[in-house]
Amino acid sequence: MFEKLKKHWGVDGFNLILILITFACGGSLCGYTARKLLLLINIEKGFIWILVYLLTATIIWPFAVLLVSVPFGQFNFFKGYLNKIKNRIGGQKLPKRSVAIFASGAGSNAEKIIQQMEIAEKAGKGSFKVSLIVCNKPTAGVLSIAANHRIDTLLLEKEQFLNEDGYATELTSRGIEFIVLAGFLWKIPATLIKAFPNNIINIHPALLPKYGGKGMYGDKVHQAVIAAGEKESGISIHYVDEIYDHGNIIFQAKCTVDQNDTPATLAKKIHQLEHQHYPEVIEKLLQMRNSR
Ligand code: GAR
């Protein structure tokens, strides 16, 4: 249940605890205040009292949780949460974030994310639009996926990416607001991280902080996990900072490593987890951001 909530709200375990405490304290404060107010108007206890109590509590609740959220550092979360409720009640459509997917390889994750966007779009929902596929390899499979889905592509030139502005100007001028790394193998330069603070996420095919860092990608990760005799592996979705595979973790999911697993069979299990969770985590994370 906690894992589901973490994913649903796009928060880590520590913030989830603070959010739940805020809900509990905000709820108690709201109940207490509603009862005190009802004492002032002196209604007899009975059906009408319950009705007025529920109505008063409903009106007070948003203010109570917002108040309590401040000392717990959760004001932004609850502001977004309440806006989301307000928009749902008003039937208002939320804006979509413009996303660039960075990929260097086959692009199976990119494809799942695009499919999620297309399904949501058809249902008149969805929190993001994949506007651009960014790639560093002219032969990468992800470029055909982009063509199949009629999505613009940008082929990176190493010198400009690593030693100039990391294509930050180009990306912002195209209206990109959020970057998703899906099997992208170059290190993200500091200039790009600064241009997109807290707006770049990555997926890593292991349970970070183990088996991350420079040179740890794809099958190399699975080989290391098997060689170490691990009983489980998994995926980590995390924010990107200036150190390889290091930023705050948003979501993790596990799978078993069996005795007869090879890097190829483990990769298959990991890909399944990635495809199941990455599109959904992005959708939820941006839903929360859009409603703020
Ligand atoms: C994915 O398994 C992803 O976790 C991994 O590359 C694969 C890309 O697959 N990324 C890393 O290893 C980053 N350190 P895909 O091209 O089929 O999406």
Side-chain angles (χ1 to χ4, degrees), residues 103-111 142 181-185 202-206 211 213 215-219 221-222 235-236 244-245 267 270-271 274-275:
S104 308
S108 69
N109 278 288
E111 187 161 39
V142 72
L181 309 185
F184 183 71
L185 301 185
N202 179 41
I203 191 157
H204 186 76
Y211 307 106
M216 283 303 233
Y217 57 86
D219 275 358
V221 178
H222 309 314
I235 60 166
S236 304
Y244 261 120
D245 302 324
I270 295 288
H271 259 122
E274 293 183 332
H275 298 165

Side-chain angles (χ1 to χ4, degrees), residues 80-118:
Y81 187 83
L82 292 170
N83 269 339
K84 208 163 114 184
I85 296 176
K86 195 180 92 195
N87 290 332
R88 280 226 178 120
I89 293 171
Q92 217 173 308
K93 273 196 181 167
L94 292 173
K96 287 182 195 230
R97 292 262 157 146
S98 181
V99 167
I101 300 180
F102 282 44
S104 308
S108 69
N109 278 288
E111 187 161 39
K112 292 286 169 195
I113 297 164
I114 295 166
Q115 283 167 351
Q116 154 93 23
M117 166 195 84
E118 289 172 345

Side-chain angles (χ1 to χ4, degrees), residues 64-79:
V65 282
L66 273 184
L67 191 72
V68 176
S69 70
V70 177
F72 289 112
Q74 299 302 320
F75 183 77
N76 278 339
F77 171 86
F78 278 92
K79 201 173 126 210

Side-chain angles (χ1 to χ4, degrees), residues 112-133:
K112 292 286 169 195
I113 297 164
I114 295 166
Q115 283 167 351
Q116 154 93 23
M117 166 195 84
E118 289 172 345
I119 292 168
E121 223 162 37
K122 270 192 193 140
K125 291 182 190 163
S127 59
F128 67 92
K129 175 175 169 45
V130 179
S131 319
L132 188 66
I133 298 290

Side-chain angles (χ1 to χ4, degrees), residues 28-223:
S28 310
L29 177 66
C30 154
Y32 175 81
T33 318
R35 232 176 303 129
K36 285 281 171 204
L37 282 175
L38 255 63
L39 281 179
L40 294 178
I41 51 175
N42 213 3
I43 310 174
E44 252 189 55
K45 283 219 166 153
F47 180 69
I48 300 289
W49 188 93
I50 295 172
L51 215 65
V52 179
Y53 173 77
L54 288 177
L55 198 71
T56 317
T58 310
I59 295 167
I60 296 171
W61 184 77
F63 301 101
V65 282
L66 273 184
L67 191 72
V68 176
S69 70
V70 177
F72 289 112
Q74 299 302 320
F75 183 77
N76 278 339
F77 171 86
F78 278 92
K79 201 173 126 210
Y81 187 83
L82 292 170
N83 269 339
K84 208 163 114 184
I85 296 176
K86 195 180 92 195
N87 290 332
R88 280 226 178 120
I89 293 171
Q92 217 173 308
K93 273 196 181 167
L94 292 173
K96 287 182 195 230
R97 292 262 157 146
S98 181
V99 167
I101 300 180
F102 282 44
S104 308
S108 69
N109 278 288
E111 187 161 39
K112 292 286 169 195
I113 297 164
I114 295 166
Q115 283 167 351
Q116 154 93 23
M117 166 195 84
E118 289 172 345
I119 292 168
E121 223 162 37
K122 270 192 193 140
K125 291 182 190 163
S127 59
F128 67 92
K129 175 175 169 45
V130 179
S131 319
L132 188 66
I133 298 290
V134 179
C135 183
N136 58 324
K137 251 190 186 170
T139 53
V142 72
L143 292 173
S144 329
I145 292 171
N148 291 342
H149 293 268
R150 296 199 175 87
I151 296 174
D152 283 353
T153 56
L154 173 67
L155 202 55
L156 300 176
E157 198 268 306
K158 200 165 188 175
E159 176 62 22
Q160 187 182 344
F161 186 66
L162 297 179
N163 300 326
E164 291 177 28
D165 75 339
Y167 284 81
T169 317
E170 165 99 35
L171 293 167
T172 37
S173 73
R174 285 175 180 253
I176 299 300
E177 297 165 288
F178 195 79
I179 296 175
V180 169
L181 309 185
F184 183 71
L185 301 185
W186 285 352
K187 190 166 188 283
I188 301 297
T191 37
L192 192 53
I193 295 171
K194 280 206 187 93
F196 288 85
N198 253 332
N199 278 317
I200 309 180
I201 62 168
N202 179 41
I203 191 157
H204 186 76
L207 295 170
L208 292 173
K210 283 167 122 183
Y211 307 106
K214 196 168 190 280
M216 283 303 233
Y217 57 86
D219 275 358
K220 293 193 183 182
V221 178
H222 309 314
Q223 274 160 12

